[in-house]
Amino acid sequence: MTGVYFGGLTVLLFGAAAAERFTKPPEAAEVSSPDWSVTVAAIEGGAGAAAIAITDRANRLVCANSAYTQGFGTQTSPPVLKAERSGLEALNRAAREAWRDGDAAIEKFEDISLRSWAVTVSRAGRGEDHLIWRFERLAIPTPGEAVQMNLSGPFGAMLSRAGIEAAITAPDGTIRSVGAGFAERAVGDATATLVGQSFVSFLRADERERIFFAREGRNGTPQTLIDVPLAEVGQAGLPPSPDEGTTLMLLVDSGVGVGSGWDGSAQAGVAQLEALLSQLPLGLAMTDRDGRFLFGNDAFLRSVGRAEGQLPSFPTDLVVREDKGALSDAVRRYGRGPANRGDMAVRLSASPDEPVSMGLVGVRGLGEAAVLISLADTSEETQLKRQVAQATKMQAVGQLAGGVAHDFNNVLTAIIGTCDLMLLRHTPGDSDYDDIQQIRANSNRAASLTRQLLAFSRQQTLRPEILQLPDVISEVGPLIKRLVGEKIDYFVQHDRNLGPVRADPQQLEQVIMNLAVNARDAINMNGAHGRTRAEKVKGRISLLTRSVKSHEVVKLGSEILPAADYTVLIVQDNGGGIPPKVLPKLFEPFFTTKEQGKGTGLGLSTVYGIVKQSGGYIFADNATGNSGGSIGARFTIYFPVHAGEAPQRRKAPVPEASSEWSAGGKVLLVEDEDMVRAVAERALARAGYEITACSDGEDGLEAMEAPDADFDIVVSDVVMPGMDGPAMVRAIRKANPEIPVLFMSGYAEEALRKDIDIPKMHFLPKPFSVAAITEKVAMVMAEARAQEVD
């Protein structure tokens, strides 16, 4: 290894090739020899840069940037980094693939320090005789990982200067990482890693149970050993036991020899320890034997929801009333008894619904300090757990909603069909005519609710197109203006260079309308009840579009939103905002904050279902002004930018032409619901068809195999007990492959077509009217007859 000062940068060069390059005289050097100092300067990056290394054909490390040397050292090359067997196999497999194919990748590589990396390997060089390895760090390091990574850097050196040596140990007591000062005092070599060796093998204890570095012998200074657990959660979600999780081992140097009274330096040890604790990303605090706080670092104050400098007098001031007694007893026990450690679950008064794990360690020989308390900041983990639980609940509710909508559609089909049949026997002016029309109108209104349930459960039929969001917003704009009225300002602003999206324009219009109406209601409600006369301002609804690139998404740090290019739709109002307790339930079906009778609670759940089925993501929060106060609700929808063909020009929907078929025919009708089967049979019989009705797939197949069976069309439900509709049709098509098929279902056509995959099938959604089923059957039969003629 050779050090070269190049343009203000110390460059590390490795291997015989590099040594030869700089030992040959200029006239003997080959012109084609690579200048590795230039290479390293090119791959060097700032903070957070990827770790990059270059290896030769023999897998030797040729050069690397500082991120690589700090992360993995200078003694190992990428194929043989310190890792578990599975990780080493992945590295060697990637090297072989890169030599063979030119490049390779590992989605997740975990080294011996439990850090996760995304690895890419590519072949390079004029003779393609080198591999370039790039290690990108995955996710944000945990507090334990952050400490572990910093031990070998300036942070570890600072601790050594303060008389504190540090090491990270595994649950079995082996070393995972050490600072340079610990390695120097333990084996005499500051560059030694000591990974995998037993921590206690480098220490010894005398007859008075004082701890020393074994290498220093009796001439060394005694050490105060403090172990800080880095694990946040143990097995089964309980607090970690002393035998599980990684541990930060701190050796605090007393600063005096054995012959002196080392207890006299306790105050110096406390000062050193406080200097260390203030720098660590862990929530740590110290108390005296009576349980009174002596110190708490910033991370501890953040964990307990206190501002800087607002450390209370006792730990019990931080927890709920029910946990005060147990915590007080634990602190006194660890402070007065033998030095040991333990954990307990407590509920903080700042967040009483989420138990946290509090670690307690008895310390001795540090003056008044008797107990070290550790508390991990798990706010991000808690938020992620809530998001996962919410997503799971929404999925379960969506499945339930889809099933309820399907069954309810059967009932509505029977009601609407019966009303149609009754209307055929009554004329306007009849005493019963208006009542029947009212029943039918209410049934159609109920059918629209089931369509909203299907939208929430992501089971409605979509007809996506490639479009631009501003085009959809401009078309729905006039309707929004009429809905919000003149008392509310309607503001639209579009970003430049918006990418096209793939979505159903009609469903997208429904999303915009539902959000606009929701904003209008929030403004009206807040204007009437939420503000005084002096505070009232004119209502405002804003529709904004933005272009967000993938690197901007990465900066957001979202656990839900994948890195990609998005076209974003923002709907914002100044109606007072969303209460925090309402946010988790906002998209649930039938949840509403409106007065009884003024909302179904399906508007936002429909929006959620349409966005998710379109491949997008929706987030709700409160927009804040310059002063930090809440000014209204904000819904942000991310649609992935569609890469491919250009946006299609919107076309007006073409109504389905009615068929003039009137020749009759034989119909095999298969439906397990008695009410629906009766309505469909009567409707088709009135249209002149000869009907054979069956209650399940087995009966339908038996009727089809009868000697006199000569059916012109099969009309069948999809989901039935026993043999379902698709299974029956497949069996029928084996004997009669050309017979037309019409499926009826309350589920979405798009989902059914993917599952059924039967050619030349037609679909009739439930609920349907008498006219709808007769026209659909006539159209299918006319189309089949036209194909026969051709």
Side-chain angles (χ1 to χ4, degrees):
M1 177 179 71
T2 304
V4 179
Y5 187 78
F6 181 80
L9 174 69
T10 300
V11 177
L12 296 180
L13 308 176
F14 308 90
E20 182 181 0
R21 172 71 178 88
F22 285 92
T23 54
K24 282 186 177 183
E27 63 273 9
E30 296 179 3
V31 176
S32 61
S33 298
D35 189 346
W36 293 112
S37 62
V38 175
T39 303
V40 177
I43 64 177
E44 190 65 38
I52 302 176
I54 301 178
T55 58
D56 60 12
R57 281 283 183 181
N59 288 331
R60 293 174 300 192
L61 192 61
V62 176
C63 67
N65 63 1
S66 58
Y68 180 90
T69 57
Q70 291 175 7
F72 302 101
T74 62
Q75 305 300 319
T76 55
S77 61
V80 289
L81 294 178
K82 290 182 173 62
E84 298 293 338
R85 182 174 180 179
S86 59
L88 290 174
E89 291 175 351
L91 288 176
N92 281 276
R93 186 165 55 251
R96 290 193 300 270
E97 292 176 2
W99 285 123
R100 184 186 67 233
D101 303 329
D103 54 65
I106 304 174
E107 291 185 2
K108 183 178 181 181
F109 164 69
E110 189 172 84
D111 60 21
I112 192 66
S113 301
L114 300 182
R115 296 172 299 179
S116 297
W117 307 82
V119 185
T120 57
V121 194
S122 57
R123 193 173 64 225
R126 284 187 296 271
E128 295 191 342
D129 51 359
H130 290 87
L131 291 182
I132 300 177
W133 299 75
R134 180 182 292 271
F135 294 79
E136 297 276 0
R137 190 68 195 278
L138 292 178
I140 300 174
T142 63
E145 291 176 332
V147 174
Q148 185 167 328
M149 287 187 297
N150 291 330
L151 282 185
S152 59
F155 178 67
M158 180 194 71
L159 296 181
S160 295
R161 289 193 298 270
I164 302 172
E165 310 301 348
I168 303 289
T169 62
D172 59 359
T174 58
I175 293 175
R176 283 187 170 167
S177 177
V178 295
F182 183 95
E184 174 69 29
R185 298 186 67 174
V187 297
D189 183 3
T191 63
T193 60
L194 309 183
V195 174
Q197 303 186 48
S198 173
F199 173 77
V200 297
S201 65
F202 300 105
L203 306 175
R204 69 174 183 84
D206 65 2
E207 64 279 359
R208 295 169 57 185
E209 296 187 354
R210 295 178 299 180
I211 299 173
F212 299 84
F213 278 99
R215 178 177 173 274
E216 297 176 351
R218 298 191 61 82
N219 294 325
T221 55
Q223 309 291 312
T224 300
L225 177 61
I226 302 174
D227 57 336
V228 181
L230 300 180
E232 298 177 3
V233 182
Q235 296 180 358
L238 300 175
S241 68
D243 297 328
E244 65 180 5
T246 55
T247 304
L248 172 64
M249 294 293 187
L250 303 175
L251 291 167
V252 183
D253 198 330
S254 68
V256 295
V258 176
S260 304
W262 71 299
D263 290 336
S265 62
Q267 293 302 322
V270 172
Q272 293 170 342
L273 187 58
E274 288 185 2
L276 165 68
L277 299 185
S278 64
Q279 299 295 325
L280 291 175
L282 300 169
L284 299 170
M286 291 189 297
T287 70
D288 59 17
R289 289 175 176 81
D290 295 326
R292 186 183 299 274
F293 272 123
L294 299 175
F295 169 82
N297 65 4
D298 293 341
F300 185 85
L301 293 174
R302 288 195 301 269
S303 300
V304 298
R306 295 295 183 101
E308 184 177 354
Q310 293 186 358
L311 188 69
S313 299
F314 297 94
T316 52
D317 297 333
L318 302 174
V319 299
V320 298
R321 180 172 55 85
E322 293 79 5
D323 293 342
K324 290 182 181 292
L327 179 58
S328 177
D329 293 341
V331 172
R332 291 177 183 272
R333 184 169 66 253
Y334 286 102
R336 296 176 182 273
N340 55 9
R341 54 175 285 188
D343 299 273
M344 64 181 300
V346 297
R347 290 166 295 171
L348 300 174
S349 55
S351 54
D353 297 331
E354 298 290 341
V356 297
S357 177
M358 179 176 286
L360 300 160
V361 181
V363 295
R364 301 295 180 263
L366 293 177
E368 294 183 349
V371 181
L372 177 67
I373 298 178
S374 62
L375 192 64
D377 184 0
T378 59
S379 56
E380 292 186 3
E381 179 184 353
T382 302
Q383 182 180 5
L384 183 58
K385 287 180 179 178
R386 287 199 190 101
Q387 291 174 345
V388 172
Q390 179 71 6
T392 304
K393 180 173 69 174
M394 294 290 277
Q395 182 179 5
V397 173
Q399 292 174 346
L400 175 64
V404 170
H406 171 263
D407 293 340
F408 194 43
N409 276 335
N410 279 330
V411 177
L412 292 176
T413 300
I415 296 174
I416 294 173
T418 303
C419 288
D420 288 342
L421 293 172
M422 293 177 66
L423 288 174
L424 294 174
R425 301 193 302 269
H426 295 75
T427 58
D430 195 318
S431 59
D432 295 331
Y433 185 85
D434 292 339
D435 294 335
I436 299 172
Q437 285 283 28
Q438 188 64 39
I439 295 173
R440 193 178 190 282
N442 289 331
S443 299
N444 286 325
R445 182 183 176 190
S448 68
L449 294 180
T450 63
R451 284 193 293 273
Q452 288 180 294
L453 283 175
L454 287 173
F456 167 74
S457 60
R458 297 176 239 172
Q459 297 176 10
Q460 87 276 38
T461 300
L462 293 183
R463 292 177 175 81
E465 301 176 7
I466 312 303
L467 48 84
Q468 286 282 1
L469 277 182
D471 296 339
V472 180
I473 294 174
S474 64
E475 289 191 12
V476 78
L479 183 56
I480 293 178
K481 291 179 181 178
R482 289 197 297 270
L483 285 173
V484 301
E486 297 181 355
K487 295 183 179 180
I488 299 176
D489 287 338
Y490 174 63
F491 175 75
V492 177
Q493 184 183 68
H494 298 302
D495 204 352
R496 294 182 178 181
N497 301 321
L498 294 174
V501 301
R502 186 174 185 271
D504 186 323
Q506 281 74 34
Q507 298 289 346
L508 198 53
E509 288 177 1
Q510 183 177 353
V511 166
I512 298 172
M513 289 298 303
N514 285 7
L515 292 177
V517 170
N518 188 74
R520 178 202 64 185
D521 295 342
I523 292 172
N524 292 336
M525 183 182 301
N526 189 66
H529 308 292
R531 292 173 177 162
T532 64
R533 178 175 298 178
E535 294 173 332
K536 286 184 179 179
V537 296
K538 188 173 183 180
R540 181 185 177 93
I541 298 176
S542 301
L543 264 68
L544 317 172
T545 57
R546 296 287 183 265
S547 177
V548 178
K549 301 301 180 182
S550 58
H551 67 273
E552 297 174 308
V553 176
V554 173
K555 292 180 181 179
L556 294 177
S558 173
E559 299 286 346
I560 299 175
L561 197 63
D565 294 340
Y566 293 94
T567 295
V568 181
L569 170 64
I570 303 173
V571 180
Q572 182 176 323
D573 62 67
N574 62 346
I578 308 170
K581 63 180 181 180
V582 173
L583 270 173
K585 304 177 181 179
L586 201 61
F587 297 113
E588 294 181 5
F590 305 115
F591 175 80
T592 179
T593 57
K594 299 176 184 178
E595 299 177 6
Q596 186 174 2
K598 292 190 176 181
T600 61
L602 286 173
L604 291 180
S605 63
T606 302
V607 169
Y608 174 85
I610 293 174
V611 170
K612 297 300 290 184
Q613 192 173 355
S614 301
Y617 301 85
I618 182 169
F619 301 92
D621 63 352
N622 289 319
T624 55
N626 295 330
S627 60
S630 174
I631 62 172
R634 176 174 57 194
F635 291 87
T636 307
I637 305 174
Y638 291 80
F639 289 106
V641 173
H642 179 78
E645 63 269 25
Q648 304 166 359
R649 181 171 295 180
R650 296 284 305 279
K651 297 180 180 179
V654 179
E656 190 176 87
S658 60
S659 173
E660 299 297 332
W661 178 267
S662 59
K666 295 185 66 175
V667 178
L668 175 61
L669 176 64
V670 186
E671 170 63 60
D672 63 308
E673 287 286 340
D674 296 338
M675 299 177 295
V676 177
R677 187 173 66 251
V679 168
E681 184 177 5
R682 290 178 60 188
L684 293 174
R686 286 183 58 88
Y689 295 99
E690 182 180 344
I691 310 299
T692 299
C694 302
S695 59
D696 55 40
E698 288 86 352
D699 290 347
L701 191 58
E702 184 178 346
M704 197 73 185
E705 295 173 349
D708 58 343
D710 187 18
F711 295 106
D712 298 302
I713 187 173
V714 176
V715 181
S716 173
D717 191 14
V718 176
V719 180
M720 294 183 293
M723 178 181 286
D724 60 13
M728 178 194 70
V729 169
R730 290 189 186 97
I732 292 174
R733 283 278 178 89
K734 290 180 180 179
N736 190 348
E738 299 300 327
I739 188 169
V741 175
L742 174 62
F743 281 120
M744 309 175 293
S745 180
Y747 290 112
E749 176 182 358
E750 188 173 288
L752 290 177
R753 285 188 180 274
K754 291 180 181 178
D755 295 336
I756 296 174
D757 192 22
I758 294 178
K760 298 181 181 179
M761 58 160 278
H762 300 268
F763 183 80
L764 178 64
K766 294 179 181 177
F768 51 77
S769 63
V770 168
I773 187 172
T774 54
E775 289 181 4
K776 190 69 175 181
V777 169
M779 186 200 72
V780 174
M781 291 185 66
E783 181 179 321
R785 184 59 55 89
Q787 292 177 354
E788 291 178 3
V789 173
D790 293 340

